[in-house]
Amino acid sequence: MNSHLNANASSLNPPIWQFLEQRKTMEWKNVTYKARFEYEISPDNILYALTATGFQPGDIRIANNVNLATMITTLIPLEYDEEKLTSYEVGSKNRFLDNTLQVNVSAFYYDYSGYRHTVNTALVGPPAFTVIATPLRMIGAELETQWLVTYLDKISFNAAILDGKITDRPDVEGLPFPTRNYIAETDLSGIPPFTATLSYEHVFRFGDGSTVT
């Protein structure tokens, strides 16, 4: 790693030039799987359970590091590990009323290893965003319904609940403070705990055969 800073550089007077050279090969090996089981109660009603795994490779993110004694900002490479997910889901898919009403319900549990958060790690001066990977679990349920009232009218209603919580805050090597100082919340931000949508569709037919929904 090579760097060049002007003599009066600080967090409020950032350096004119900084050079950071990082050469490294990062490698991950994973075996993923997916298993699904179904039980047909009737031709129109199915129960199912599934589990699956997935992953995203890690990477290196360049972050700012402020020396509080000299107030000089330097660039540092921060590695973050791969993100792994194991998911579990159970549910039911159903059709009623001569296949005019569809009702699907499901519940799921997601277990993340290294879920990625983008946080501001700058102690002073301009913000410096970097990636921090933490364990996370999500629990949720979904309801999906569609009712074909007539061959021209359809009503849809979807609802979902979701609870995401950070289960640990492992420290990231290279940051001036522990990871818990940058991620203070327990609940995962940016995810609404409840969502619902209701829609109505009507198809207008015209004499020339065209339609508008």
Side-chain angles (χ1 to χ4, degrees):
M1 179 177 67
N2 300 317
S3 63
H4 171 74
L5 304 177
N6 61 327
N8 298 320
S10 69
S11 61
L12 299 179
N13 179 29
I16 299 175
W17 296 105
Q18 281 197 61
F19 302 98
L20 178 65
E21 182 177 336
Q22 181 73 15
R23 300 174 183 266
K24 185 171 184 178
T25 299
M26 307 177 72
E27 182 177 340
W28 291 270
K29 296 180 180 179
N30 290 275
V31 176
T32 60
Y33 64 83
K34 182 177 182 179
R36 180 183 176 97
F37 304 92
E38 292 186 357
Y39 176 70
E40 188 176 283
I41 302 174
S42 72
D44 298 326
N45 307 96
I46 295 176
L47 298 176
Y48 70 89
L50 66 87
T51 178
T53 59
F55 76 96
Q56 293 188 75
D59 204 343
I60 297 177
R61 175 63 66 87
I62 305 302
N64 290 349
N65 185 34
V66 179
N67 187 318
L68 295 181
T70 62
M71 298 305 293
I72 292 179
T73 300
T74 58
L75 299 180
I76 55 173
L78 292 180
E79 299 180 10
Y80 55 91
D81 202 359
E82 62 183 343
E83 179 181 87
K84 292 183 178 180
L85 167 64
T86 303
S87 64
Y88 307 91
E89 182 177 342
V90 294
S92 177
K93 297 180 180 294
N94 308 274
R95 290 184 181 273
F96 306 101
L97 304 178
D98 293 329
N99 290 330
T100 61
L101 176 62
Q102 176 178 295
V103 180
N104 299 333
V105 293
S106 63
F108 57 86
Y109 178 88
Y110 291 165
D111 184 13
Y112 284 91
S113 171
Y115 186 88
R116 294 169 188 172
H117 307 264
T118 301
V119 297
N120 178 20
T121 58
L123 302 178
V124 293
F129 294 98
T130 190
V131 173
I132 294 179
T134 60
L136 176 79
R137 68 106 177 107
M138 289 187 183
I139 301 175
E142 294 181 341
L143 168 68
E144 299 178 348
T145 62
Q146 289 188 359
W147 181 26
L148 194 62
V149 183
T150 71
Y151 76 102
L152 297 176
D153 301 275
K154 182 174 70 174
I155 297 175
S156 301
F157 176 73
N158 300 327
I161 56 175
L162 181 61
D163 179 55
K165 290 190 179 297
I166 299 169
T167 57
D168 194 10
R169 299 177 181 84
D171 290 337
V172 178
E173 185 177 354
L175 287 176
F177 290 102
T179 300
R180 60 181 175 272
N181 287 35
Y182 301 104
I183 303 179
E185 71 272 11
T186 300
D187 296 338
L188 185 64
S189 60
I191 295 182
F194 176 77
T195 58
T197 58
L198 176 65
S199 64
Y200 167 71
E201 296 181 15
H202 177 76
V203 179
F204 296 89
R205 302 175 65 93
F206 302 96
D208 59 358
S210 60
T211 62
V212 173
T213 301

